[in-house]
Structures are given as structure tokens and as C-alpha cells.
Amino acid sequence: MLKSISGSTLVLKTDAGPEITFSVPDGTRIVRLAPGQTDLKNAPPITLPELQVGDRMLIRSRPGDNGSVLATTIVVMKQADVAQKQQHDREDWQKRGAGGIVSAIDVAAGTINVSVTPTLSIVVKTSKDTGFLRYAPGSVKFSEAQKGTMDQIKTGDQLRARGKRSADGKELDAEEVISGTFRNIAGTITSIDAPNNTITVKDVLAKKSVVIKFNADSQLRKLAPQMAQRLAFFLKSGAQAAPGGAPPGGQTATSGAPPSGGAPTSGNGAGGNTPGGNPQGPRPGGAPDFQQMLSRIPSVTLADLQKEDAVMVVATLGNSNGEVTAITLLGGVEPILTASPNGMGAAALFSGWNMGAPGGDAGPQ
């Protein structure tokens, strides 16, 4: 990504992290490529003054004098074009996506059973054309995901897929699959160590206490009482939810989770609630769209948490000392844990909301 431009000198921040400085001599070929396009033959030429900070680039270069690097060809994806593509992806993941916890895998058949809610599972069908991505360890950002394979997916993983769903909604022919291994924690806070940015939670899933650390990337949100009661009612009633849901994403993904995500907050989840936090009504199938509802939950800080608060956390797998780092925390879940005493139903319910999806990692991560 273009970090700065000064005259004919460009500073790029690579996806791997390091920065590289390029000089752009006269005669350098500069073309504009639309996201998703691969053929440079029809890419229109642009000029150096048209480049802007935030544009994505692929640069071919050669050594120059005094250790300089000279750009010979610059392929540009304009920031506005990328944003438009991300918005399209978010909408497509919302319309044709589904996510949850992996309950079974048949590698030979290319199928993955996914628990979307405590009472609803779908079969994700893959093929040789299905693209697989894997969340990086400790991240639910789609932008940090890496190419993966079906062999990497394990029971208990969180997974999102996008593709064509069957008429009854119980099968999905996947075009893309993104998955990751995370730890779900649900329970009450027994202590808070603000100076060290940690809390201790009595985890009803693992049936033991766990120390959870927070960093700058950790996302904290809290349910309004009305929404928490509504979700608790869903768990108690065992209503059938339609598969899918907006990518979180937030990245979304709200990312198009991306995630994706992704994660959030960025808060770009599609639809779902009013700014005041009142959830959207049920979908045609009678169940609320949880990802859309959750994408609008207000952010909180560690200072807003109190001892005995009930929380649900998605975290890294942990280090040798047993300490884990929070990716996302959701507070205000007392009614939900009461409705699901062992926490498993609640874990399935919230499995997709924290994962970033393509399109900028929008949504509550």
C-alpha cells in the first residue's frame, strides 16, 4: 500500500510489514487495474500525479545508482475501487454466506457440517474450485488470513462459507471457505487487574478459571438488556434460524466476512438494529439475524467491566502459562448463559459474529 509520495519518490508499506522506497523515472509504465481483474492488456494508463496515499500497488523494479530502486512498471488498484469491491463483497457474504462451528468433516466427500445455531446445522459442500483461507493465529481479520486447505479444518473450528444455498437452506455449495481455531470462553468475571489489562473468568465451558489478557486489537462490546433477553428466549425456545447472516466483519465483516473480518469495530455490519440497539425483527423464517443484530452493539472498555459480570469471549488458544489473549469480548450476556447453562448453545449462537469477512473486516470482532 502506498504510504507516502513526494515528487517522483514512492514509499510502499508491504503486506509483510517492511517499507520500500522507489524512484519513478520518466517512462515508467503506470496502469490502473480494477479489483479482481488479472489481464493488464486492457488496463488503462494513468499518470504519477493520479496516485494517492492508500492505493494498493504491484511494482516491478530494477536496481538504480547509489542503492536506489527504480520502478519500471506500476500496477495500481485505487483505494476507491478497492472500497467499492469490499462493499460488494460484504453484501454478497450477507446474502450468500453462512457461518458457525464445525461439527463434522468428511474429507473424502468434501463436506463440512457446521452448527449455525444450537438448533440448526448446514452441510458445506466443497469442490476442486472452492477457495480455502485460514485465519492467522490470534486474529479474526480477513486481511491477515492466509491460503489454506481443507485438511487444516478441524472439529470445533469456526468457519464461514459463501456460495449457493439449497432451496431448504440446509446445504451450501461453497465458492469460498475461511476457517480458524479459537477458544470460546463463557462465564463470570471473578477478578479484574486493570493495570495489567487482564481479567479472570470462571469458564463454564472448560470448568476452570482462565486469565484473559487484552491488547490494542481486542474488541469489547456489551449487549443491551432487551437484546440479551431476546437471544435468551431464542435459546430456550429452540427456534429454527435461517442460515446465513451478515458478515461481521467487520471485518464484518463484517469480512465481505474477511475477517473476516473482523472483524470489528469498525461497525460496518449490514443492517440489523437501530442505533439505539433495538434488534431487527425476525427474518421470513421466523428467527432473528444474529450477525446483523450483533454488528451494531456498542463498544465498551475494560473500565466498564465489573466483577460478577457475565461475559463471552473469543480468544487465542493460549500460551504455556494458560493465559489467553481476547480477540472479542461480549458483555451483558447473563440471560443467555442462564438459558444455556453449559455455555455450548451460546457458543454456537455467537460463533459467526466475531469473524472478519472479505470487504474490510467490518462488524463486531
Side-chain angles (χ1 to χ4, degrees):
M1 183 180 71
L2 182 58
K3 183 177 180 180
S4 67
I5 179 169
S6 177
S8 60
T9 300
L10 308 179
V11 177
L12 261 67
K13 181 179 177 67
T14 67
D15 291 340
E19 297 178 1
I20 303 177
T21 300
F22 295 89
S23 294
V24 185
D26 293 340
T28 297
R29 183 189 181 200
I30 308 177
V31 297
R32 180 173 180 169
L33 194 68
Q37 184 181 350
T38 57
D39 190 354
L40 295 180
K41 292 179 181 178
N42 298 320
I46 60 174
T47 62
L48 186 62
E50 293 179 79
L51 303 183
Q52 296 176 309
V53 171
D55 290 346
R56 291 191 61 82
M57 297 180 178
L58 174 65
I59 296 182
R60 293 175 183 167
S61 62
R62 61 179 176 83
D65 297 332
N66 302 319
S68 63
V69 182
L70 303 181
T72 58
T73 301
I74 303 176
V75 180
V76 183
M77 282 190 187
K78 298 294 292 178
Q79 188 176 29
D81 294 343
V82 173
Q84 185 177 32
K85 176 66 163 54
Q86 289 176 340
Q87 178 62 28
H88 176 271
D89 283 346
R90 276 196 294 269
E91 293 172 354
D92 194 49
W93 275 89
Q94 177 182 342
K95 294 175 183 176
R96 304 193 303 128
I101 295 178
V102 176
S103 57
I105 306 166
D106 187 335
V107 176
T111 60
I112 307 166
N113 287 41
V114 178
S115 296
V116 180
T117 73
T119 57
L120 174 68
S121 293
I122 65 168
V123 177
V124 175
K125 301 167 69 175
T126 67
S127 70
K128 60 180 180 60
D129 298 321
T130 301
F132 290 91
L133 288 172
R134 190 78 177 166
Y135 285 106
S139 171
V140 290
K141 294 183 179 180
F142 183 86
S143 58
E144 297 176 357
Q146 302 168 343
K147 287 186 177 180
T149 64
M150 185 166 178
D151 292 340
Q152 293 175 292
I153 301 172
K154 302 182 292 294
T155 300
D157 279 0
Q158 296 191 34
L159 178 146
R160 292 189 65 82
R162 172 170 66 162
K164 182 179 180 181
R165 284 183 286 190
S166 61
D168 62 5
K170 294 182 179 179
E171 294 184 350
L172 185 149
D173 292 324
E175 298 165 9
E176 293 180 271
V177 171
I178 182 166
S179 62
T181 302
F182 306 100
R183 179 170 174 180
N184 290 299
I185 299 167
T188 55
I189 299 175
T190 57
S191 66
I192 300 175
D193 185 350
N196 291 314
N197 289 322
T198 65
I199 63 174
T200 301
V201 173
K202 186 176 181 181
D203 184 11
V204 299
L205 300 175
K207 302 188 185 307
K208 63 180 181 181
S209 294
V210 57
V211 177
I212 303 171
K213 186 174 183 61
F214 295 85
N215 59 27
D217 292 327
S218 300
Q219 302 286 336
L220 292 80
R221 291 179 175 252
K222 189 170 184 178
L223 284 171
Q226 181 182 3
M227 185 185 291
Q229 290 290 350
R230 185 178 181 195
L231 295 177
F233 176 79
F234 173 82
L235 283 174
K236 289 180 180 178
S237 65
Q240 290 290 326
Q251 77 172 315
T252 345
T254 99
S255 329
S260 72
T265 236
S266 10
N268 293 333
N273 337 3
T274 63
N278 293 326
Q280 187 183 32
R283 290 189 280 183
D289 186 330
F290 298 109
Q291 280 74 28
Q292 288 196 15
M293 292 165 62
L294 292 165
S295 69
R296 303 289 181 144
I297 299 171
S299 297
V300 297
T301 66
L302 190 60
D304 296 311
L305 302 180
Q306 297 180 357
K307 188 176 178 180
E308 302 301 329
D309 280 354
V311 295
M312 295 185 63
V313 182
V314 175
T316 60
L317 292 181
N319 56 29
S320 57
N321 296 324
E323 182 180 86
V324 302
T325 300
I327 298 173
T328 58
L329 175 145
L330 186 65
V333 298
E334 289 87 348
I336 296 167
L337 294 187
T338 300
S340 176
N342 65 4
M344 294 306 295
L349 181 65
F350 290 98
S351 61
W353 75 281
N354 54 80
M355 298 173 63
D361 296 320
Q365 292 181 35

